[in-house]
Amino acid sequence: MIIPKLHYISQGNSLKEHLENIQKACTSGSELVQLRLKNISEKKYLKFAEEAREITAHFQTRLIINDNYKIAKAVKADGVHLGKTDASVTEARKHLYAWQLIGGTANTLQDCKSLLAKEVDYISLGPFRFTTTKENLPSTLGLDGVTAIMEALETKTPIIAVGGITTADVTDILATGISGIAVSEAITKDFNAIRTFNQLLNASVTAEQPYKFE
C-alpha cells in the first residue's frame, strides 16, 4: 500500500470539533487523516472512531487511529499510529488485520532503527520544530537533525516529518529524502493549506480518485 505524502492529524477543542475538522480535511482533499484523541475512555474513543470511519469512507480517505490498535481493528481503519509509550509494534501486529498499516514515532536515529527492525510500515520523525500539540516534547530536530538521520538511514520505508511544519518548510524537508509530512496546526488553521501542501509535495489528489465521466 502506498502511504500518502500528506497526513492530517486531527485537532479540536472538543471531540465534536475533531470530527468536524476531519470532515473539512477530507473535503479539502486530504488523502490520509489520523484521529488523535487523548485522555478519553475506550468507549468514547470507539464511538468517535466509528464516526471518523464513516466520514473518511465517504471521501475514500485513509484513516489512521492514534495509539489504540484495538479500536483501529474494531472500526477497520487503515492502520494505527503508535507513539513511543503506546503498545509495541509486535503486540499490535498480532491483533490487527494483515492489511492494516502500523506507523511509529521516532525522535532519534536509534528510534528509527528500532522501528525498522520491527518492520513498521512508516515512521513519523520529529518534532521538526516546537509544537503546542504535544506535551513533554523531546528536543526539536530542525532541518539539520532530519538531514543527519536521513543520511544515516538509507531505507525504503517511508519517513514522514512531523512537528510544527508549515508550507514554507516543505521544499527543504523533501530535499532531505523525507517521503512526506504530517501536519496538524497549519491545516487546522486553514484547510485550504491542504491544496498548497499537496502541490508542494507533488501529491496528486486526483491519482487516488477513480476517473468519472461527466
Side-chain angles (χ1 to χ4, degrees):
M1 186 192 290
I2 294 171
I3 312 252
K5 293 178 185 178
L6 179 64
H7 298 196
Y8 169 61
I9 300 173
S10 77
Q11 221 181 355
N13 296 318
S14 64
L15 296 173
K16 189 166 167 277
E17 217 172 86
H18 273 265
L19 291 179
E20 285 166 2
N21 287 338
I22 283 177
Q23 170 106 30
K24 286 176 192 166
C26 291
T27 311
S28 305
S30 181
E31 292 178 42
L32 184 149
V33 297
Q34 183 190 124
L35 177 65
R36 184 174 188 271
L37 301 177
K38 293 289 177 189
N39 311 321
I40 66 163
S41 69
E42 187 103 356
K43 195 174 163 190
K44 260 198 177 150
Y45 206 151
L46 180 62
K47 176 182 179 286
F48 281 89
E50 281 167 348
E51 290 186 41
R53 177 75 283 191
E54 276 178 36
I55 296 167
T56 52
H58 176 77
F59 288 95
Q60 295 181 328
T61 299
R62 304 222 176 112
L63 175 68
I64 299 285
I65 302 291
N66 188 277
D67 291 359
N68 198 315
Y69 62 81
K70 289 177 182 161
I71 286 173
K73 182 171 187 178
V75 302
K76 293 192 166 70
D78 295 274
V80 67
H81 185 85
L82 302 171
K84 291 170 86 168
T85 55
D86 301 327
S88 73
V89 173
T90 323
E91 182 64 19
R93 186 163 276 120
K94 277 187 219 157
H95 293 270
L96 291 173
Y97 294 107
W99 49 266
Q100 286 178 304
L101 298 167
I102 298 179
T105 297
N107 176 241
T108 63
L109 177 60
Q110 199 43 56
D111 291 343
C112 291
K113 287 182 172 170
S114 152
L115 286 168
L116 290 171
K118 291 172 188 150
E119 298 184 355
V120 290
D121 297 290
Y122 73 90
I123 290 172
S124 279
L125 178 63
F128 180 71
R129 72 161 60 85
F130 177 76
T131 163
T132 51
T133 52
K134 285 211 171 185
E135 302 79 39
N136 322 323
L137 262 183
S139 55
T140 53
L141 292 169
L143 206 56
D144 293 345
V146 170
T147 306
I149 289 174
M150 291 304 291
E151 281 175 359
L153 271 184
E154 295 184 352
T155 174
K156 287 198 163 52
T157 302
I159 311 277
I160 307 289
V162 65
I165 295 170
T166 66
T167 49
D169 301 315
V170 177
T171 311
D172 287 342
I173 288 175
L174 287 180
T176 66
I178 280 272
S179 315
I181 55 171
V183 181
S184 190
E185 218 156 318
I187 287 176
T188 307
K189 277 184 189 154
D190 175 16
F191 285 91
N192 293 325
I194 288 176
R195 176 171 294 225
T196 314
F197 275 119
N198 277 334
Q199 283 166 344
L200 288 163
L201 290 161
N202 217 348
S204 153
V205 178
T206 47
E208 295 280 331
Q209 300 296 335
Y211 184 76
K212 292 186 183 69
F213 291 96
E214 294 304 329

